[in-house]
DNA sequence: GTCTATAAGTAGATAGAC
DNA sequence: GTCTATCTACTTATAGAC
């Protein structure tokens, strides 16, 4: 309505989205420090001052890229899990989460890539605003591992937090090395799934507790 | 000898080392973009211009921190492997490398941490100079995995490069989350070793030809 | 060797026209 | 809404004294 400050509303402006996408692309490729506001503007086909019509500052713009990326990552993985039958074994849920996480990071969203590659280097005030959403995603993975543990699909000697962070690290680090030109996503996904399944699970196909008996 | 330019020689000057260590500490904690030359100088108890007596520029200083970190990481892991009996099984070598890598990253050297946390965000010209040393370390890990494969200790269905990078990613990402106050290094090391051993290796303790049937 | 003072460059941000 | 022109702040880097 009010024309003067769409700075928060009007999330559907085409120019605004172009600026956001350009920022996500440059952030994911060059990193926080090397991402100039003028580079973003150039890439979005506007002059630098136009950015300030939509965003209060460079920091605000980058903070929004991160917020969008975090949300997309979580929502994509949640959707993939929600699409599974209710009876799906916990370890199969984990495989699905591995696939979904890698797919969104490496193929679907430069916003997600931007988060993973830059979160650790962001100034404290931006990171503080992303904390809650990030904790939500952590919680999702903690739930997945706990379910596997309680179902007797996971070796109980593992430190649950360390295992979770090591797995997420293996996935997140792909953004540092994976190159679409150099290999198929499928190969990475399958190797990651195999690594995580065997890394967390029991040597054989059987288990500790009472439930599920495949043999 | 010549007093005018120790910029390369005199690697043993106490002040020079203080500056280098301060740079490593700040780089590992705050990242490349947030590491100001003046912060480094303050932390090293000198004024900013004094840095230029030892280093040609901020970039040169940071590049040297990275070079030192890369070298220490590789040398520490190589030493740990060299100390093993010649008959050590390949998978046990991998466990040793996992332990050594985590130890130097998380406990021994802020130079190593600085490399891992910043390599991906460095300007191209610095990264180019670190390429050879980095490739050397990659080669070390490739050798470890190939040895395990040839010894029949590793599942042959895994994509070797993907598996290697996923494992190194799990290890490297610890620099993003591990906090000495929040848990023991031993727990992380043991969980990582277990995860890698089972993640790469065969379900049971045997190997090779016709596959296992537990049922 | 290290300092004070300052130059030079760069990037973020604003003013005001259109 | 987007522009040109400009301001301001910050950071690296140098000059030259001690």
């Amino acid at each position: 309505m009010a024309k003067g400050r769409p700075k928060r509303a009007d999330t559907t402006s085409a120019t605004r989205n172009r600026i956001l996408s350009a920022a996500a692309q440059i952030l994911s490729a060059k990193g926080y420090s090397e991402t100039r506001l003028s580079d973003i503007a150039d890439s979005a086909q506007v002059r630098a001052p136009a950015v300030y019509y939509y965003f209060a500052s460079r920091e605000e713009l980058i903070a929004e890229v991160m917020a969008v990326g975090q949300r997309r990552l979580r929502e994509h993985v949640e959707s993939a899990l929600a699409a599974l039958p209710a009876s799906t074994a916990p370890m199969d849920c984990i495989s699905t989460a591995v696939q979904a996480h890698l797919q969104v990071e490496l193929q679907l969203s430069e916003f997600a890539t931007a988060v993973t590659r830059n979160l650790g280097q962001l100034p404290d005030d931006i990171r503080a605003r992303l904390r809650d959403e990030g904790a939500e995603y952590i919680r999702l993975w903690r739930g997945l591992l706990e379910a596997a543990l309680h179902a007797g699909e996971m070796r109980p000697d593992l430190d649950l937090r360390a295992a979770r962070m090591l797995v997420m690290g293996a996935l997140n680090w792909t953004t540092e090395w994976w190159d679409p030109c150099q290999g198929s996503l499928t190969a990475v996904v399958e190797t990651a799934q195999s690594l995580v399944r065997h890394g967390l699970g029991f040597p054989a196909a059987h288990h500790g507790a009472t439930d599920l008996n495949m043999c």
Side-chain angles (χ1 to χ4, degrees), chain A:
Chain A
M1 246 117 241
K3 310 199 187 84
R5 55 182 260 282
K7 300 238 153 124
R8 269 204 124 85
D10 199 4
T11 312
T12 52
S13 154
T15 305
R16 189 178 193 279
N17 287 335
R18 234 174 39 241
I19 294 170
L20 265 177
S21 294
Q25 197 263 311
I26 298 177
L27 277 167
S28 68
K30 304 209 300 176
Y32 180 74
S33 58
E34 302 293 306
T35 297
R36 319 255 168 263
L37 188 66
S38 53
D39 297 339
I40 297 171
D42 287 354
S43 171
Q45 311 251 40
V46 293
R47 309 290 166 180
V51 173
Y52 289 91
Y53 181 77
Y54 298 99
F55 302 93
S57 68
R58 172 181 183 266
E59 251 196 40
E60 286 297 317
L61 165 57
I62 291 179
E64 180 153 347
V65 170
M66 298 295 159
V68 170
Q70 268 190 326
R71 195 161 38 74
R72 286 202 188 154
L73 171 61
R74 181 175 60 81
E75 287 178 355
H76 183 75
V77 174
E78 278 177 353
S79 298
L81 290 170
L84 294 173
S87 61
T88 306
M91 194 59 83
D92 292 331
C93 292
I94 291 179
S95 276
T96 296
V98 165
Q99 189 272 333
H101 185 105
L102 289 176
Q103 186 181 42
V104 68
E105 287 280 1
L106 301 178
Q107 209 167 53
L108 296 181
S109 174
E110 281 169 332
F111 289 81
T113 317
V115 175
T116 301
R117 295 202 67 192
N118 292 294
L119 195 60
Q121 314 244 340
L122 254 33
D124 293 340
D125 54 324
I126 297 188
R127 201 158 46 205
R129 282 195 283 172
L130 302 172
R131 220 195 42 217
D132 287 356
E133 174 73 34
E136 192 64 37
Y137 191 59
I138 292 278
R139 211 164 3 249
L140 187 158
W141 277 90
R142 181 161 45 216
L144 288 172
L145 266 68
E146 279 171 356
L149 182 67
H150 295 146
E153 291 190 313
M154 194 170 135
R155 298 197 305 284
D157 61 299
L158 295 171
D159 178 309
L160 219 63
R161 176 169 179 264
R164 184 185 78 235
M165 293 309 289
L166 286 162
V167 167
M168 295 187 70
L171 301 183
N172 285 339
W173 196 259
T174 57
T175 57
E176 299 289 330
W177 60 268
W178 190 71
D179 174 7
C181 309
Q182 210 175 338
S184 79
L185 181 58
T186 312
V188 178
V189 168
E190 286 175 356
T191 299
Q193 285 174 327
S194 174
L195 223 121
V196 170
R197 179 179 292 272
H198 292 84
L200 298 176
F202 283 101
H206 57 73
H207 40 70
T210 41
D211 34 23
L212 12 146
N213 200 325
M214 305 290 291
C215 299

